mmCIF file of all heavy atoms in Angstrom:
data_model
loop_
_atom_site.group_PDB
_atom_site.id
_atom_site.type_symbol
_atom_site.label_atom_id
_atom_site.label_comp_id
_atom_site.label_asym_id
_atom_site.label_seq_id
_atom_site.Cartn_x
_atom_site.Cartn_y
_atom_site.Cartn_z
ATOM 1 N N ARG U 29 -11.933 9.320 -6.748
ATOM 2 C CA ARG U 29 -12.476 8.878 -8.043
ATOM 3 C C ARG U 29 -11.826 7.560 -8.491
ATOM 4 O O ARG U 29 -12.481 6.666 -9.019
ATOM 5 C CB ARG U 29 -12.255 9.969 -9.095
ATOM 6 C CG ARG U 29 -13.096 11.225 -8.861
ATOM 7 C CD ARG U 29 -12.981 12.182 -10.049
ATOM 8 N NE ARG U 29 -13.649 13.444 -9.762
ATOM 9 C CZ ARG U 29 -13.021 14.592 -9.510
ATOM 10 N NH1 ARG U 29 -11.705 14.628 -9.510
ATOM 11 N NH2 ARG U 29 -13.699 15.681 -9.266
ATOM 12 N N GLN U 30 -10.502 7.452 -8.287
ATOM 13 C CA GLN U 30 -9.805 6.230 -8.686
ATOM 14 C C GLN U 30 -10.246 5.039 -7.846
ATOM 15 O O GLN U 30 -10.411 3.921 -8.361
ATOM 16 C CB GLN U 30 -8.294 6.443 -8.550
ATOM 17 C CG GLN U 30 -7.730 7.453 -9.542
ATOM 18 C CD GLN U 30 -6.258 7.703 -9.308
ATOM 19 O OE1 GLN U 30 -5.439 6.807 -9.467
ATOM 20 N NE2 GLN U 30 -5.911 8.933 -8.942
ATOM 21 N N LEU U 31 -10.468 5.259 -6.555
ATOM 22 C CA LEU U 31 -10.924 4.178 -5.687
ATOM 23 C C LEU U 31 -12.293 3.689 -6.135
ATOM 24 O O LEU U 31 -12.551 2.479 -6.198
ATOM 25 C CB LEU U 31 -10.980 4.650 -4.227
ATOM 26 C CG LEU U 31 -9.646 4.998 -3.553
ATOM 27 C CD1 LEU U 31 -9.879 5.419 -2.106
ATOM 28 C CD2 LEU U 31 -8.685 3.827 -3.603
ATOM 29 N N ARG U 32 -13.177 4.603 -6.430
ATOM 30 C CA ARG U 32 -14.540 4.213 -6.811
ATOM 31 C C ARG U 32 -14.583 3.597 -8.212
ATOM 32 O O ARG U 32 -15.376 2.700 -8.484
ATOM 33 C CB ARG U 32 -15.448 5.442 -6.719
ATOM 34 C CG ARG U 32 -15.715 5.824 -5.261
ATOM 35 C CD ARG U 32 -16.385 7.157 -5.099
ATOM 36 N NE ARG U 32 -16.643 7.418 -3.671
ATOM 37 C CZ ARG U 32 -16.919 8.606 -3.181
ATOM 38 N NH1 ARG U 32 -16.981 9.656 -3.979
ATOM 39 N NH2 ARG U 32 -17.148 8.759 -1.892
ATOM 40 N N ASP U 33 -13.709 4.089 -9.081
ATOM 41 C CA ASP U 33 -13.680 3.549 -10.440
ATOM 42 C C ASP U 33 -13.167 2.107 -10.445
ATOM 43 O O ASP U 33 -13.661 1.258 -11.191
ATOM 44 C CB ASP U 33 -12.789 4.429 -11.320
ATOM 45 C CG ASP U 33 -12.763 3.938 -12.756
ATOM 46 O OD1 ASP U 33 -13.832 3.942 -13.397
ATOM 47 O OD2 ASP U 33 -11.683 3.549 -13.222
ATOM 48 N N GLY U 34 -12.164 1.831 -9.613
ATOM 49 C CA GLY U 34 -11.582 0.489 -9.606
ATOM 50 C C GLY U 34 -12.343 -0.512 -8.768
ATOM 51 O O GLY U 34 -12.143 -1.722 -8.903
ATOM 52 N N PHE U 35 -13.250 -0.022 -7.914
ATOM 53 C CA PHE U 35 -13.945 -0.904 -6.968
ATOM 54 C C PHE U 35 -14.708 -2.025 -7.680
ATOM 55 O O PHE U 35 -14.656 -3.189 -7.270
ATOM 56 C CB PHE U 35 -14.902 -0.063 -6.126
ATOM 57 C CG PHE U 35 -15.680 -0.863 -5.114
ATOM 58 C CD1 PHE U 35 -15.114 -1.215 -3.900
ATOM 59 C CD2 PHE U 35 -16.976 -1.270 -5.381
ATOM 60 C CE1 PHE U 35 -15.830 -1.956 -2.975
ATOM 61 C CE2 PHE U 35 -17.700 -2.011 -4.456
ATOM 62 C CZ PHE U 35 -17.121 -2.353 -3.248
ATOM 63 N N SER U 36 -15.386 -1.702 -8.770
ATOM 64 C CA SER U 36 -16.228 -2.700 -9.438
ATOM 65 C C SER U 36 -15.412 -3.768 -10.159
ATOM 66 O O SER U 36 -15.953 -4.820 -10.525
ATOM 67 C CB SER U 36 -17.165 -2.004 -10.435
ATOM 68 O OG SER U 36 -16.402 -1.299 -11.397
ATOM 69 N N ASP U 37 -14.112 -3.522 -10.394
ATOM 70 C CA ASP U 37 -13.264 -4.491 -11.097
ATOM 71 C C ASP U 37 -12.563 -5.472 -10.162
ATOM 72 O O ASP U 37 -11.821 -6.336 -10.632
ATOM 73 C CB ASP U 37 -12.203 -3.748 -11.924
ATOM 74 C CG ASP U 37 -12.813 -2.904 -13.020
ATOM 75 O OD1 ASP U 37 -13.894 -3.278 -13.503
ATOM 76 O OD2 ASP U 37 -12.208 -1.870 -13.384
ATOM 77 N N ARG U 38 -12.760 -5.318 -8.880
ATOM 78 C CA ARG U 38 -12.053 -6.220 -7.951
ATOM 79 C C ARG U 38 -12.411 -7.672 -8.246
ATOM 80 O O ARG U 38 -13.576 -7.966 -8.564
ATOM 81 C CB ARG U 38 -12.439 -5.904 -6.506
ATOM 82 C CG ARG U 38 -12.003 -4.546 -6.009
ATOM 83 C CD ARG U 38 -12.403 -4.347 -4.553
ATOM 84 N NE ARG U 38 -13.829 -4.675 -4.361
ATOM 85 C CZ ARG U 38 -14.334 -5.098 -3.195
ATOM 86 N NH1 ARG U 38 -13.561 -5.252 -2.148
ATOM 87 N NH2 ARG U 38 -15.628 -5.360 -3.082
ATOM 88 N N PRO U 39 -11.457 -8.629 -8.174
ATOM 89 C CA PRO U 39 -10.039 -8.407 -7.821
ATOM 90 C C PRO U 39 -9.135 -8.252 -9.034
ATOM 91 O O PRO U 39 -7.926 -8.425 -8.907
ATOM 92 C CB PRO U 39 -9.707 -9.693 -7.068
ATOM 93 C CG PRO U 39 -10.520 -10.729 -7.789
ATOM 94 C CD PRO U 39 -11.795 -10.044 -8.217
ATOM 95 N N GLU U 40 -9.691 -7.962 -10.207
ATOM 96 C CA GLU U 40 -8.876 -7.808 -11.410
ATOM 97 C C GLU U 40 -8.252 -6.408 -11.452
ATOM 98 O O GLU U 40 -8.957 -5.414 -11.496
ATOM 99 C CB GLU U 40 -9.742 -8.021 -12.664
ATOM 100 C CG GLU U 40 -10.384 -9.397 -12.756
ATOM 101 C CD GLU U 40 -9.359 -10.498 -12.884
ATOM 102 O OE1 GLU U 40 -8.286 -10.223 -13.445
ATOM 103 O OE2 GLU U 40 -9.616 -11.635 -12.416
ATOM 104 N N SER U 41 -6.926 -6.353 -11.478
ATOM 105 C CA SER U 41 -6.180 -5.090 -11.635
ATOM 106 C C SER U 41 -6.544 -4.045 -10.586
ATOM 107 O O SER U 41 -6.451 -2.841 -10.838
ATOM 108 C CB SER U 41 -6.417 -4.512 -13.042
ATOM 109 O OG SER U 41 -6.080 -5.452 -14.035
ATOM 110 N N PHE U 42 -6.980 -4.503 -9.425
ATOM 111 C CA PHE U 42 -7.319 -3.545 -8.364
ATOM 112 C C PHE U 42 -7.308 -4.288 -7.029
ATOM 113 O O PHE U 42 -7.700 -5.462 -6.961
ATOM 114 C CB PHE U 42 -8.700 -2.923 -8.605
ATOM 115 C CG PHE U 42 -8.908 -1.651 -7.820
ATOM 116 C CD1 PHE U 42 -8.353 -0.452 -8.266
ATOM 117 C CD2 PHE U 42 -9.647 -1.645 -6.643
ATOM 118 C CE1 PHE U 42 -8.543 0.720 -7.547
ATOM 119 C CE2 PHE U 42 -9.831 -0.477 -5.916
ATOM 120 C CZ PHE U 42 -9.283 0.705 -6.374
ATOM 121 N N PRO U 43 -6.867 -3.639 -5.967
ATOM 122 C CA PRO U 43 -6.808 -4.311 -4.667
ATOM 123 C C PRO U 43 -8.189 -4.793 -4.217
ATOM 124 O O PRO U 43 -9.186 -4.088 -4.390
ATOM 125 C CB PRO U 43 -6.259 -3.239 -3.725
ATOM 126 C CG PRO U 43 -5.566 -2.256 -4.612
ATOM 127 C CD PRO U 43 -6.330 -2.265 -5.900
ATOM 128 N N TRP U 44 -8.216 -5.990 -3.628
ATOM 129 C CA TRP U 44 -9.454 -6.497 -3.066
ATOM 130 C C TRP U 44 -9.802 -5.741 -1.778
ATOM 131 O O TRP U 44 -10.958 -5.472 -1.487
ATOM 132 C CB TRP U 44 -9.307 -7.992 -2.775
ATOM 133 C CG TRP U 44 -10.540 -8.586 -2.159
ATOM 134 C CD1 TRP U 44 -10.765 -8.853 -0.840
ATOM 135 C CD2 TRP U 44 -11.733 -8.975 -2.833
ATOM 136 N NE1 TRP U 44 -12.012 -9.380 -0.654
ATOM 137 C CE2 TRP U 44 -12.638 -9.470 -1.875
ATOM 138 C CE3 TRP U 44 -12.120 -8.958 -4.190
ATOM 139 C CZ2 TRP U 44 -13.912 -9.942 -2.206
ATOM 140 C CZ3 TRP U 44 -13.384 -9.444 -4.504
ATOM 141 C CH2 TRP U 44 -14.262 -9.928 -3.523
ATOM 142 N N SER U 45 -8.772 -5.405 -1.029
ATOM 143 C CA SER U 45 -8.989 -4.695 0.231
ATOM 144 C C SER U 45 -7.995 -3.541 0.316
ATOM 145 O O SER U 45 -6.878 -3.634 -0.184
ATOM 146 C CB SER U 45 -8.798 -5.641 1.419
ATOM 147 O OG SER U 45 -8.966 -4.968 2.642
ATOM 148 N N LEU U 46 -8.412 -2.459 0.943
ATOM 149 C CA LEU U 46 -7.570 -1.264 0.984
ATOM 150 C C LEU U 46 -7.582 -0.670 2.390
ATOM 151 O O LEU U 46 -8.646 -0.531 3.002
ATOM 152 C CB LEU U 46 -8.093 -0.227 -0.017
ATOM 153 C CG LEU U 46 -7.212 1.013 -0.257
ATOM 154 C CD1 LEU U 46 -5.935 0.616 -0.987
ATOM 155 C CD2 LEU U 46 -7.981 2.039 -1.068
ATOM 156 N N GLY U 47 -6.406 -0.355 2.886
ATOM 157 C CA GLY U 47 -6.300 0.317 4.181
ATOM 158 C C GLY U 47 -5.647 1.672 4.000
ATOM 159 O O GLY U 47 -4.629 1.795 3.313
ATOM 160 N N LEU U 48 -6.227 2.695 4.574
ATOM 161 C CA LEU U 48 -5.659 4.043 4.507
ATOM 162 C C LEU U 48 -5.032 4.362 5.857
ATOM 163 O O LEU U 48 -5.670 4.214 6.894
ATOM 164 C CB LEU U 48 -6.741 5.073 4.174
ATOM 165 C CG LEU U 48 -7.469 4.874 2.839
ATOM 166 C CD1 LEU U 48 -8.494 5.971 2.617
ATOM 167 C CD2 LEU U 48 -6.476 4.839 1.687
ATOM 168 N N CYS U 49 -3.789 4.798 5.830
ATOM 169 C CA CYS U 49 -3.044 5.084 7.054
ATOM 170 C C CYS U 49 -2.720 6.569 7.116
ATOM 171 O O CYS U 49 -2.176 7.133 6.166
ATOM 172 C CB CYS U 49 -1.765 4.256 7.089
ATOM 173 S SG CYS U 49 -0.767 4.522 8.552
ATOM 174 N N GLY U 50 -3.061 7.210 8.204
ATOM 175 C CA GLY U 50 -2.765 8.635 8.343
ATOM 176 C C GLY U 50 -2.861 9.067 9.786
ATOM 177 O O GLY U 50 -2.972 8.238 10.696
ATOM 178 N N MET U 51 -2.819 10.365 9.982
ATOM 179 C CA MET U 51 -2.853 10.900 11.345
ATOM 180 C C MET U 51 -4.270 11.064 11.884
ATOM 181 O O MET U 51 -4.461 11.319 13.062
ATOM 182 C CB MET U 51 -2.144 12.260 11.390
ATOM 183 C CG MET U 51 -0.648 12.165 11.202
ATOM 184 S SD MET U 51 0.140 13.764 11.420
ATOM 185 C CE MET U 51 1.858 13.300 11.412
ATOM 186 N N ARG U 52 -5.272 10.948 10.997
ATOM 187 C CA ARG U 52 -6.642 11.157 11.435
ATOM 188 C C ARG U 52 -7.541 10.059 10.890
ATOM 189 O O ARG U 52 -7.222 9.396 9.908
ATOM 190 C CB ARG U 52 -7.170 12.511 10.942
ATOM 191 C CG ARG U 52 -6.276 13.681 11.261
ATOM 192 C CD ARG U 52 -7.062 14.971 11.236
ATOM 193 N NE ARG U 52 -7.961 15.053 12.382
ATOM 194 C CZ ARG U 52 -8.862 16.021 12.547
ATOM 195 N NH1 ARG U 52 -9.014 16.937 11.621
ATOM 196 N NH2 ARG U 52 -9.624 16.054 13.605
ATOM 197 N N ASP U 53 -8.687 9.898 11.521
ATOM 198 C CA ASP U 53 -9.719 9.020 10.988
ATOM 199 C C ASP U 53 -10.168 9.589 9.645
ATOM 200 O O ASP U 53 -10.355 10.803 9.502
ATOM 201 C CB ASP U 53 -10.899 8.989 11.970
ATOM 202 C CG ASP U 53 -11.919 7.918 11.621
ATOM 203 O OD1 ASP U 53 -12.333 7.868 10.443
ATOM 204 O OD2 ASP U 53 -12.312 7.160 12.516
ATOM 205 N N VAL U 54 -10.365 8.711 8.647
ATOM 206 C CA VAL U 54 -10.737 9.213 7.312
ATOM 207 C C VAL U 54 -12.056 9.977 7.340
ATOM 208 O O VAL U 54 -12.290 10.843 6.496
ATOM 209 C CB VAL U 54 -10.820 8.064 6.282
ATOM 210 C CG1 VAL U 54 -9.453 7.471 6.035
ATOM 211 C CG2 VAL U 54 -11.799 6.993 6.733
ATOM 212 N N ARG U 55 -12.932 9.657 8.301
ATOM 213 C CA ARG U 55 -14.206 10.364 8.358
ATOM 214 C C ARG U 55 -14.038 11.817 8.776
ATOM 215 O O ARG U 55 -14.982 12.608 8.662
ATOM 216 C CB ARG U 55 -15.158 9.659 9.336
ATOM 217 C CG ARG U 55 -15.581 8.266 8.887
ATOM 218 C CD ARG U 55 -16.285 8.304 7.529
ATOM 219 N NE ARG U 55 -17.515 9.067 7.557
ATOM 220 C CZ ARG U 55 -18.712 8.571 7.861
ATOM 221 N NH1 ARG U 55 -18.816 7.295 8.177
ATOM 222 N NH2 ARG U 55 -19.773 9.342 7.844
ATOM 223 N N ASP U 56 -12.834 12.191 9.267
ATOM 224 C CA ASP U 56 -12.587 13.583 9.649
ATOM 225 C C ASP U 56 -12.142 14.438 8.477
ATOM 226 O O ASP U 56 -12.014 15.656 8.607
ATOM 227 C CB ASP U 56 -11.506 13.652 10.743
ATOM 228 C CG ASP U 56 -12.015 13.129 12.076
ATOM 229 O OD1 ASP U 56 -13.237 13.191 12.293
ATOM 230 O OD2 ASP U 56 -11.201 12.651 12.883
ATOM 231 N N TYR U 57 -11.875 13.819 7.330
ATOM 232 C CA TYR U 57 -11.418 14.587 6.178
ATOM 233 C C TYR U 57 -12.590 15.240 5.475
ATOM 234 O O TYR U 57 -13.648 14.644 5.289
ATOM 235 C CB TYR U 57 -10.659 13.688 5.197
ATOM 236 C CG TYR U 57 -9.247 13.405 5.630
ATOM 237 C CD1 TYR U 57 -8.962 12.330 6.458
ATOM 238 C CD2 TYR U 57 -8.201 14.235 5.247
ATOM 239 C CE1 TYR U 57 -7.671 12.070 6.876
ATOM 240 C CE2 TYR U 57 -6.905 13.982 5.655
ATOM 241 C CZ TYR U 57 -6.651 12.900 6.475
ATOM 242 O OH TYR U 57 -5.369 12.659 6.896
ATOM 243 N N LYS U 58 -12.392 16.474 5.067
ATOM 244 C CA LYS U 58 -13.393 17.220 4.329
ATOM 245 C C LYS U 58 -12.729 17.799 3.088
ATOM 246 O O LYS U 58 -11.512 17.964 3.031
ATOM 247 C CB LYS U 58 -13.977 18.353 5.184
ATOM 248 C CG LYS U 58 -14.658 17.880 6.465
ATOM 249 C CD LYS U 58 -15.183 19.062 7.259
ATOM 250 C CE LYS U 58 -15.902 18.606 8.517
ATOM 251 N NZ LYS U 58 -14.996 18.004 9.492
#
């Protein structure tokens, strides 16, 4: 929710680009 809420405000007070780092591809998360 926070990612989607801040997306429209880029680049003001929100990252222009975002990388998620973890043990799995994000598409595997449910």
Side-chain angles (χ1 to χ4, degrees):
R29 291 188 187 107
Q30 293 176 65
L31 294 181
R32 288 169 178 163
D33 182 63
F35 180 81
S36 59
D37 296 331
R38 294 182 310 153
E40 299 296 330
S41 304
F42 198 79
W44 179 260
S45 178
L46 189 69
L48 300 181
C49 180
M51 290 185 171
R52 309 202 71 187
D53 190 310
V54 293
R55 294 301 297 271
D56 289 334
Y57 281 88
K58 300 179 178 68

